[in-house]
Amino acid sequence: MSETVDKPRSFQEIILRLQAYWAAKGCAVLQPYDMEVGAGTFHPATTLRSLGSNAWAAAYVQPSRRPTDGRYGENPNRLQHYYQYQVLIKPSPPDLQDLYLGSLKAIGIDTELHDIRFVEDDWESPTLGAWGLGWEVWCDGMEVSQFTYFQQVGGHDCHPVSGELTYGLERLAMYVLGVDHVMNMPYNDPQAPIALTYGDVFKQTEEEYSRHNFDVANTEKLLSDFVNAEKECHAILDQEHIDPKTGKRIIMAHPAYDQCIKASHIFNLLDARGVISVTERQAYIGRVRALAKACADAFVLTEAGGWKALATQADAAEKGLVPKDFVE
Amino acid sequence: MADLLIELFSEEIPARMQKRAAEDLKSLVTNGLVEAGLTYASAGAFATPRRLALSIEGLLEASPTTVEERKGPRVDAPEKALEGFLRGAGVTKDELEIRDEKKGQVYFAKITKPGRPAAEIVAEVLEATVRNFPWPKSMRWGAGSLKWVRPLHSIVCLMTREDGAEVVPLDIDGITSGNTVRGHRFMPSGSFKVTSFDDYATKLKQNFVVLDGAERANHIWHDATNQAFAQGLEVVEDKGLLAEVAGLVEWPVVLLGEIGADFLDLPPEVLQTSMKEHQKFFSVRNPKTGRIEKFVTVANRETKDNGATILAGNQKVLSARLSDAKFFWENDVRTVERDGMEAMSASLANVTFHNKLGSQAARIARIASLAEEIAPIVGAEAAEAGVAAKVAKADLSSEMVYEFPELQGIMGRYYAQKAGLSDAVADACRDHYSPLGPSDDVPTEAVSVSVALADKLDTLTGFWAIDEKPTGSKDPFALRRAALGVIRLLITNDVRLNLDRFIDSQLLLHKIAEADENDGIIDTLKEILDEIAEHGVFGAAFDAIADKLSDAQKDAVKKAAGNVPDTSEDLLSFFHDRLKVFLKDEGIRHDVIDACLAMEGNDDITLLVKRARALQAMLDTEDGTNLIQGFKRANNILTQAEEKDGVEYSFGPDLKFAEVAEEKALFATLDAAEEAIKPAMKAEDFTKAMSAMADMRASVDAFFEAVQVNADNEIVRRNRLNLLGRIRDVCLSVADLTRIES
């Protein structure tokens, strides 16, 4: 009954195994998004691609930044920069739980010896106007992943529903590798000629960014950056759908969404600088949500967003799915 | 007869929803069946993390055939009407019957509804149940539009008879019914076919699933207590946690684990809360020391290493959690040891309590000065009560309470001790929130009582001042609970306190703060409040003080004070309503309380309750009941006579005009009663006063028996009416008996 489980030896091996596993299960293995985001969900491969009717299957590592969580590299498991592993499959396959459990085996968690549990945890992102139902997955009492069936993103109902898996890579790896402090975790193979720990790679940056995020980041500049990103996002979306130069129908949902991501990260930095009061906080979150919603509205009118399926619905305009003047 | 087995198999159902879902499944299906004419003998429903199951026994094989008679149009009605009737009834014209009625000949139709086989009805009812299931939250999945709490995978719907079992065919958005069941997710088990509910439950157990949630909970509790007992320890009982944990596992395996030695010195409440909230662990206590020393976790499986890996993992996670808790604890303790509780509470100045009632710091200052005033009344040192009130909410800004809000008060007590404050002050930090519910313990230590009363009175008057009173079922600030808290604090501790005076002054304080006037007014506030304490809001002295103010200030204070009397009365009657609810459980009738409310000092809850209890006790005796009758009779006769004669018969009667022996005897009785009642009332010995009153019963009865009040002789009549007047006066001196309903 029990299988011999081959344990990974380093942080990177766990990532490599996850990549190989999900690639073998048919996911497109994407690369991290090249912007500062708070979580893997912000990657357009999740936020935007979970919208519309087109099928999708992607897996990727996403470096994530949470300026308020910076601890100068001293806390055993809190970091202002960390990695998430993200899987998004649309429509969610009926065996998604089994696929997920298979990924745990792939990274050396022997489900015959451990106690894996799906504990209710509903996910909500006020900044993305998104929510879903699912669980946090526990391994021997530790949360190792978030498992969510998206119900709504950017204010749009998800049809079909995407299944989303998020692994907090450092925490998961520390558990698998039996390490107590993240900085002591082997990053590459500990037998390698030049063995590096997580601390060798990130201790320096954690210190630098902690100081920067808490005390140095120029708040005046950030405040104006926020406003500019917000304006830019709307300006991009306000463009005519038909590109005057090529005559093609090009709705720029992604460039606009980049500005939304930017605004969100600036907000997080301002939060870490402690210049946002409790009441203002809600207002800022609302402004980022408005951007996310506008981008989602735009994306569902693009080809990747499945506009063709929408357009064929005779009553799409009446249902409010597309603008009244949306005729191709 | 047939038996029915239903299983709805899904991905993990949230623990908190399982019990209710099993009940809903049972009621929706059985109601649907009965409505369609299928009755049954018994039904039972079950839930595990992955399945809802329903077993129905003794179900009818088919619904009975029914015949309904329907009255149609008259024979001479237009053809159109007849056509419509035939269509509606689904019969032809020659099947109709013609009957003679008063208004002429009328068509009648007999509509026969043939019974339907049970399977057909079951399939319909189950489909409707699944499609309309009242989950608190439900979701879609994949490309479908069906909603369930989490993806629904399979349905077992099986009818079992003596000659075998039969799957009831059913297809809900591609999920078809069958008789295949899956066992435990991780333990070695496959899928298997079942033939009946018994077969289902047995095979589930063979495949590591305990179907019944109560059985899982019992097993967990039994095993946990046994393991703890074997080590001389005991499990801290927590029914809510037990139910939740039983909803997280299909095959419970209890594991007893160690708490790292570094953490054993944390307060037991911290260990308990951290373990419960984050890890869903039970705390295991050493009964000798009261310390939490170990924990129990419940795994969902057996392993070949007997849970060693699982336990090691859980212990590691716990250590990380407790490291955080320890960090918070040490930081908090360092703060109060170095700079006192004030250092901790400093930041409360920036925390809003309510946008119309100012900051937490302002609230604490109000509570502190009120607690100082209340202190001498409840036997506490004013200074100590003031200190206690000032630090009682400091822990709201501690790191620990920020992390675990449910530890408010409990942490305050520890921090106050660490800050070197007295035990009475430390206890007040913990106990001033009490009593929280009707069955919660009431603080009895004088300092705690002062702060608890001040806290609740400030809250009540504050929300009354800004007109945020409870309405209907809405009571967002738990004001009913606060009022009941005040009542229980006063009664339990036998505190004599005139609520009016405190309500008035505190309301005025809120009103003035709300008016947000300039500093000059605030300076004179203390003076004004002292006056109010002496003479009430509208006393002459209050006016005298107000006269000293400038016109603008005077107007502001008068304006603020203007609606205090009404608001104050309203709040007092809120207290009285709560008191009625509270005393109802004691068997004290609301009219008894009304009778006592009419007496002086009705803002003294303790006095009021004493009076009400004595009156109720008297009414419960035969003499008491009869005396009330006598009183009412006297009162009725008097009222009529007074109305007719236009005078009040309150002159003392004269013995010399008494003619009958019973009449003369009543004089003596009244004298004796008055003699007993007056000192008893003065001493607030209501029981004695009431029983003295009840003792008059025989005399009063005899008087009415022997004497005609309305005598022909006007002098005698008036004398007798005045005698009745004395009965009334004596009785009313005890309570307003006119309020007592017969």
Side-chain angles (χ1 to χ4, degrees):
Chain A
M1 77 182 218
S2 174
E3 58 205 316
T4 41
V5 176
D6 162 32
K7 290 260 177 203
R9 285 145 44 111
S10 66
F11 184 57
Q12 72 186 24
E13 189 181 345
I14 288 171
I15 296 175
L16 292 169
R17 287 197 192 185
L18 282 173
Q19 299 277 49
Y21 177 84
W22 287 107
K25 296 298 174 190
C27 285
V29 173
L30 304 183
Q31 300 306 319
Y33 202 57
D34 57 343
M35 291 187 69
E36 297 140 317
V37 295
T41 309
F42 272 85
H43 195 309
T46 290
T47 312
L48 297 181
R49 295 292 175 154
S50 62
L51 293 165
S53 54
N54 293 347
W56 184 254
Y60 55 88
V61 176
Q62 181 62 48
S64 306
R65 302 198 188 215
R66 294 195 180 164
T68 46
D69 279 353
R71 295 292 184 274
Y72 304 86
E74 284 161 12
N75 189 287
N77 43 33
R78 264 191 210 280
L79 300 160
Q80 56 82 37
H81 171 283
Y82 66 104
Y83 290 105
Q84 286 193 338
Y85 196 83
Q86 176 88 3
V87 179
L88 189 87
I89 306 181
K90 178 175 72 172
S92 64
D95 59 346
L96 188 57
Q97 280 185 310
D98 291 333
L99 287 172
Y100 168 75
L101 292 170
S103 75
L104 292 187
K105 282 184 194 160
I107 57 171
I109 294 179
D110 181 355
T111 56
E112 297 297 319
L113 279 180
H114 294 275
D115 182 31
I116 312 289
R117 225 79 76 67
F118 292 87
V119 180
E120 177 192 17
D121 189 32
D122 301 338
W123 172 80
E124 189 184 10
S125 168
T127 41
L128 288 177
W131 68 275
L133 298 192
W135 311 271
E136 49 182 45
V137 185
W138 285 17
C139 176
D140 303 336
M142 189 178 75
E143 185 194 341
V144 288
S145 305
Q146 196 72 37
F147 193 130
T148 308
Y149 291 102
F150 279 6
Q151 302 295 300
Q152 219 178 47
V153 172
H156 289 255
D157 280 348
C158 297
H159 264 298
V161 167
S162 300
E164 183 212 43
L165 306 173
T166 304
Y167 307 71
L169 281 173
E170 281 82 356
R171 189 152 36 155
L172 180 61
M174 282 168 70
Y175 189 72
V176 171
L177 300 172
V179 179
D180 289 329
H181 198 296
V182 64
M183 294 297 168
N184 299 333
M185 177 163 65
Y187 195 98
N188 60 357
D189 194 321
Q191 307 298 317
I194 302 173
L196 296 169
T197 63
Y198 194 93
D200 293 331
V201 182
F202 287 117
K203 173 83 167 118
Q204 181 67 34
T205 52
E206 280 301 306
E207 268 183 5
E208 291 179 14
Y209 278 103
S210 293
R211 181 173 176 197
H212 168 264
N213 297 343
F214 287 128
D215 302 319
V216 177
N218 182 333
T219 55
E220 265 171 55
K221 177 181 170 295
L222 288 172
L223 286 166
S224 83
D225 285 352
F226 184 92
V227 174
N228 287 335
E230 189 179 35
K231 274 190 198 147
E232 182 72 3
C233 179
H234 288 304
I236 295 169
L237 293 176
D238 284 345
Q239 297 294 315
E240 287 295 318
H241 289 179
I242 304 300
D243 172 22
K245 195 168 88 191
T246 62
K248 284 185 173 177
R249 180 177 172 277
I250 304 177
I251 300 168
M252 293 164 288
H254 284 80
Y257 182 64
D258 285 351
Q259 299 302 317
C260 170
I261 292 178
K262 208 170 268 183
S264 173
H265 178 64
I266 294 167
F267 161 71
N268 289 339
L269 274 175
L270 286 167
D271 201 19
R273 291 286 278 115
V275 294
I276 293 179
S277 74
V278 181
T279 31
E280 280 175 321
R281 214 164 177 277
Q282 286 314 311
Y284 272 101
I285 289 172
R287 285 163 75 179
V288 177
R289 180 169 57 240
L291 298 182
K293 193 171 175 325
C295 295
D297 292 347
F299 179 73
V300 296
L301 301 182
T302 68
E303 187 133 348
W307 69 274
K308 277 184 177 158
L310 266 188
T312 54
Q313 287 187 32
D315 56 350
E318 275 71 49
K319 281 185 184 164
L321 296 171
V322 296
K324 293 249 191 269
D325 58 351
F326 181 62
V327 190
E328 281 298 319
Chain B
M1 293 290 169
D3 294 340
L4 176 66
L5 167 66
I6 292 170
E7 184 201 59
L8 301 165
F9 181 81
S10 68
E11 296 177 14
E12 277 75 358
I13 305 167
R16 66 186 170 97
M17 300 177 189
Q18 290 168 19
K19 188 163 182 276
R20 179 66 198 271
E23 284 161 13
D24 285 341
L25 176 64
K26 181 168 139 183
S27 65
L28 286 171
V29 171
T30 55
N31 288 349
L33 294 177
V34 169
E35 221 163 89
L38 282 190
T39 54
Y40 62 96
S42 65
F46 308 90
T48 79
R50 292 213 290 171
R51 58 198 98 220
L52 298 181
L54 175 64
S55 161
I56 296 180
E57 289 179 354
L59 187 67
L60 286 185
E61 285 285 358
S63 59
T65 299
T66 56
V67 180
E68 180 202 337
E69 194 175 69
R70 199 180 288 179
K71 187 177 172 183
R74 280 189 355 197
V75 173
D76 55 2
E79 196 63 20
K80 276 255 162 32
L82 180 62
E83 276 170 27
F85 176 64
L86 290 174
R87 208 168 32 246
V91 293
T92 58
K93 192 177 173 184
D94 32 298
E95 289 172 295
L96 297 179
E97 190 186 319
I98 296 171
R99 284 190 212 161
D100 289 325
E101 297 251 312
K102 273 185 212 153
K103 289 178 185 169
Q105 289 195 309
V106 176
Y107 285 117
F108 273 85
K110 257 189 188 160
I111 306 164
T112 306
K113 277 191 188 155
R116 299 165 63 210
E120 211 176 294
I121 296 171
V122 165
E124 276 173 21
V125 168
L126 183 54
E127 174 161 359
T129 300
V130 169
R131 291 197 187 279
N132 303 304
F133 205 81
W135 291 109
K137 266 186 189 174
S138 61
M139 54 163 275
R140 292 171 288 104
W141 61 95
S145 59
L146 186 64
K147 287 190 158 191
W148 198 247
V149 64
R150 292 293 183 275
L152 179 64
H153 281 277
S154 64
I155 298 174
V156 170
C157 188
L158 194 67
M159 288 191 62
T160 308
R161 301 176 184 81
E162 274 177 22
D163 58 350
E166 171 201 8
V167 171
V168 176
L170 186 69
D171 181 336
I172 304 176
D173 290 10
I175 305 169
T176 53
S177 56
N179 56 357
T180 306
V181 172
R182 265 175 279 180
H184 194 275
R185 188 190 276 287
F186 297 105
M187 296 288 287
S189 69
S191 52
F192 46 90
K193 292 197 187 307
V194 296
T195 55
S196 68
F197 175 72
D198 288 343
D199 185 42
Y200 170 72
T202 309
K203 283 183 179 155
L204 273 179
K205 205 163 269 180
Q206 285 162 2
N207 285 275
F208 307 101
V209 175
V210 180
L211 180 62
D212 185 355
E215 189 185 335
R216 293 194 300 274
N218 284 339
H219 169 84
I220 292 167
W221 186 247
H222 187 252
D223 216 18
T225 46
N226 272 354
Q227 288 193 35
F229 180 77
Q231 306 207 12
L233 304 171
E234 63 186 16
V235 184
V236 178
E237 194 168 345
D238 188 335
K239 293 214 162 75
L241 181 61
L242 182 60
E244 187 182 4
V245 169
L248 286 170
V249 293
E250 291 200 312
W251 191 251
V253 175
V254 170
L255 300 169
L256 183 67
E258 304 278 338
I259 299 171
D262 282 1
F263 308 117
L264 290 175
D265 289 333
L266 283 170
E269 296 92 339
V270 170
L271 287 172
Q272 215 171 316
T273 306
S274 177
M275 294 202 293
K276 174 186 174 170
E277 294 305 314
H278 293 309
Q279 304 302 133
K280 307 192 198 300
F281 289 171
F282 292 91
S283 295
V284 178
R285 180 166 56 199
N286 183 334
K288 290 190 200 94
T289 60
R291 287 210 321 180
I292 307 288
E293 295 182 351
K294 298 197 177 193
F295 68 86
V296 159
T297 184
V298 182
N300 188 29
R301 63 163 307 149
E302 295 164 20
T303 59
K304 59 176 188 270
D305 65 353
N306 293 318
T309 307
I310 296 173
L311 201 53
N314 274 290
Q315 276 170 189
K316 200 164 171 177
V317 180
L318 179 64
S319 290
R321 291 286 189 191
L322 292 182
S323 298
D324 280 349
K326 196 175 179 205
F327 179 74
F328 301 145
W329 165 251
E330 285 170 353
N331 282 352
D332 289 342
V333 168
R334 194 176 309 121
T335 302
V336 296
E337 280 181 347
R338 194 177 51 206
D339 302 316
M341 294 289 271
E342 293 74 14
M344 188 172 265
S345 60
S347 66
L348 291 176
N350 305 321
V351 179
T352 307
F353 168 58
H354 181 284
N355 58 10
K356 284 186 182 165
L357 294 172
S359 70
Q360 285 283 18
R363 175 183 173 220
I364 289 166
R366 287 195 306 268
I367 295 172
S369 80
L370 185 54
E372 283 172 14
E373 285 183 60
I374 292 175
I377 303 174
V378 303
E381 288 285 330
E384 195 171 30
V387 169
K390 276 179 199 129
V391 302
K393 294 187 190 294
D395 66 348
L396 292 182
S397 62
S398 68
E399 292 185 25
M400 189 68 85
V401 173
Y402 183 80
E403 181 73 9
F404 299 113
E406 61 270 50
L407 289 179
Q408 70 173 19
I410 292 168
M411 296 320 298
R413 176 167 166 272
Y414 285 111
Y415 297 147
Q417 284 170 343
K418 295 283 181 189
L421 295 167
S422 70
D423 284 348
V425 169
D427 287 346
C429 292
R430 180 189 60 193
D431 296 334
H432 79 281
Y433 293 103
S434 300
L436 288 171
S439 54
D440 195 19
D441 284 346
V442 177
T444 53
E445 209 280 325
V447 174
S448 297
V449 173
S450 326
V451 183
L453 281 171
D455 186 9
K456 290 167 179 63
L457 285 173
D458 181 71
T459 300
L460 283 160
T461 50
F463 286 103
W464 245 258
I466 60 168
D467 201 20
E468 288 273 4
K469 297 179 271 189
T471 50
S473 62
K474 287 205 186 85
D475 184 8
F477 305 107
L479 300 177
R480 290 194 180 101
R481 191 172 78 183
L484 178 62
V486 170
I487 290 169
R488 293 187 63 210
L489 278 160
L490 294 172
I491 298 174
T492 307
N493 293 295
D494 204 18
V495 175
R496 300 297 305 280
L497 174 146
N498 287 98
L499 273 180
D500 249 353
R501 168 242 175 285
F502 290 100
I503 290 177
D504 282 358
S505 60
Q506 208 67 8
L507 272 174
L508 185 61
L509 208 60
H510 287 298
K511 289 279 185 195
I512 290 175
E514 196 193 3
D516 196 25
E517 288 297 332
N518 57 51
D519 291 344
I521 289 167
I522 303 298
D523 285 345
T524 55
L525 197 59
K526 181 82 182 92
E527 218 177 327
I528 294 172
L529 291 177
D530 288 344
E531 282 307 317
I532 290 168
E534 288 288 312
H535 306 288
V537 174
F538 279 150
F542 171 74
D543 289 335
I545 293 289
D547 281 346
K548 286 187 224 158
L549 305 172
S550 74
D551 281 353
Q553 289 170 328
K554 192 160 60 190
D555 285 353
V557 172
K558 285 221 162 176
K559 197 174 154 215
N563 41 18
V564 164
D566 284 349
T567 317
S568 170
E569 204 165 297
D570 189 50
L571 178 52
L572 190 61
S573 73
F574 180 74
F575 272 108
H576 289 154
D577 288 345
R578 292 293 99 202
L579 184 64
K580 283 180 189 172
V581 174
F582 176 67
L583 290 181
K584 201 178 158 196
D585 292 341
E586 251 185 55
I588 298 179
R589 286 159 25 189
H590 68 94
D591 54 334
V592 167
I593 300 167
D594 281 333
C596 299
L597 283 179
M599 305 302 289
E600 212 174 302
N602 70 6
D603 65 330
D604 181 340
I605 300 288
T606 306
L607 185 74
L608 189 56
V609 170
K610 261 169 105 173
R611 204 189 287 266
R613 281 179 180 156
L615 181 54
Q616 182 69 55
M618 188 204 79
L619 286 178
D620 291 342
T621 65
E622 205 198 329
D623 277 353
T625 322
N626 284 321
L627 177 80
I628 294 290
Q629 300 309 327
F631 165 79
K632 291 212 161 183
R633 194 163 165 191
N635 194 41
N636 287 341
I637 295 170
L638 265 175
T639 312
Q640 279 171 16
E642 284 175 340
E643 218 163 84
K644 192 171 140 218
D645 302 347
V647 290
E648 189 176 303
Y649 288 104
S650 54
F651 290 112
D654 198 329
L655 183 59
K656 72 180 178 213
F657 298 121
E659 291 181 338
V660 190
E662 286 81 355
E663 194 176 6
K664 287 174 182 157
L666 185 54
F667 273 89
T669 302
L670 281 166
D671 287 345
E674 240 168 18
E675 206 167 302
I677 288 172
K678 262 191 191 146
M681 288 300 284
K682 208 168 175 198
E684 293 173 0
D685 187 345
F686 299 113
T687 310
K688 196 169 177 188
M690 302 272 176
S691 81
M693 181 170 78
D695 285 346
M696 305 195 306
R697 174 234 167 156
S699 256
V700 171
D701 284 358
F703 170 78
F704 280 121
E705 193 79 14
V707 172
Q708 165 134 30
V709 175
N710 286 316
D712 295 335
N713 181 334
E714 190 60 15
I715 294 175
V716 173
R717 175 176 171 264
R718 283 177 189 246
N719 197 51
R720 285 179 181 165
L721 285 168
N722 277 321
L723 189 56
L724 294 189
R726 262 193 82 189
I727 297 179
R728 180 171 64 183
D729 287 350
V730 169
C731 290
L732 289 184
S733 74
V734 179
D736 184 356
L737 299 186
T738 58
R739 307 280 178 128
I740 301 293
E741 294 162 11
S742 34

